[in-house]
Amino acid sequence: MAMDVTDHKILELLKENSRAQWRDIGAQVHMTGPAVAARVRKLEDEGVIEAFTVRVNPAKIGRPVTAFVTVYMETPDHHRFQTMVRSNPAVIEFHRTSGGGCYLLKVQVEDNDMLKTLLDAVLKFGNYGVSLSIEAIK
């Protein structure tokens, strides 16, 4: 799908607030509300927009510790590892990577004990490196 400047602007506005009204977005991109709705439907139909979501403040729901875990697999059983990670509610994002590790996990937990429990589960499959987030900038 060929996207123009307006499509990109609509996407940016929806990323900022997925509940924005079509007419409000239209005012910012110089279109009517129905025209914006048609563009969004087309972006959905083409698979550009996969879902609308909510951004949650993890500290407000009792998960103030955010960590990034790089996993270095030492077993070929990636399927079992992926199943374990997918079923863990502390894992917010899960990426298979190239370069410095096999997987990158973004986790949000209540405290260091909960993080340690997750890391102990990871050790059954390989080694890991952990970076704690001290501030989300974007």
Side-chain angles (χ1 to χ4, degrees), residues 80-102:
R80 198 164 59 94
F81 173 73
Q82 291 174 8
T83 300
M84 182 274 295
V85 172
R86 281 189 189 102
S87 68
N88 190 315
V91 179
I92 303 306
E93 291 183 31
F94 179 34
H95 302 266
R96 190 163 189 176
T97 59
S98 65
C102 299

Side-chain angles (χ1 to χ4, degrees), residues 100-119:
C102 299
Y103 295 95
L104 178 66
L105 286 61
K106 178 180 179 183
V107 300
Q108 293 175 335
V109 293
E110 297 170 11
D111 54 30
N112 287 341
D113 288 336
M114 192 173 176
L115 178 59
K116 182 184 172 301
T117 299
L118 173 67
L119 296 175

Side-chain angles (χ1 to χ4, degrees), residues 15 18 28-29 40 46 65 78 86 125 135-136:
K15 283 191 233 175
S18 64
Q28 294 184 57
V29 297
V40 170
E46 294 291 328
V65 178
H78 289 245
R86 281 189 189 102
F125 300 93
E135 177 185 18

Side-chain angles (χ1 to χ4, degrees), residues 11 13-14 21 28 33 45-46 51 75-77 106 111 122 135:
L11 289 174
L13 292 168
L14 287 172
Q21 300 293 315
Q28 294 184 57
D45 292 344
E46 294 291 328
T75 174
D77 196 356
K106 178 180 179 183
D111 54 30
V122 169
E135 177 185 18

Side-chain angles (χ1 to χ4, degrees), residues 31-91:
M31 296 176 74
T32 66
V36 170
R39 289 262 187 145
V40 170
R41 271 192 304 279
K42 184 178 178 187
L43 291 167
E44 288 177 300
D45 292 344
E46 294 291 328
V48 174
I49 295 176
E50 296 178 336
F52 291 88
T53 188
V54 175
R55 184 175 39 217
V56 176
N57 181 330
K60 300 281 186 182
I61 61 168
R63 294 184 179 230
V65 178
T66 298
F68 297 91
V69 181
T70 302
V71 180
Y72 306 91
M73 295 292 287
E74 294 175 357
T75 174
D77 196 356
H78 289 245
H79 177 71
R80 198 164 59 94
F81 173 73
Q82 291 174 8
T83 300
M84 182 274 295
V85 172
R86 281 189 189 102
S87 68
N88 190 315
V91 179

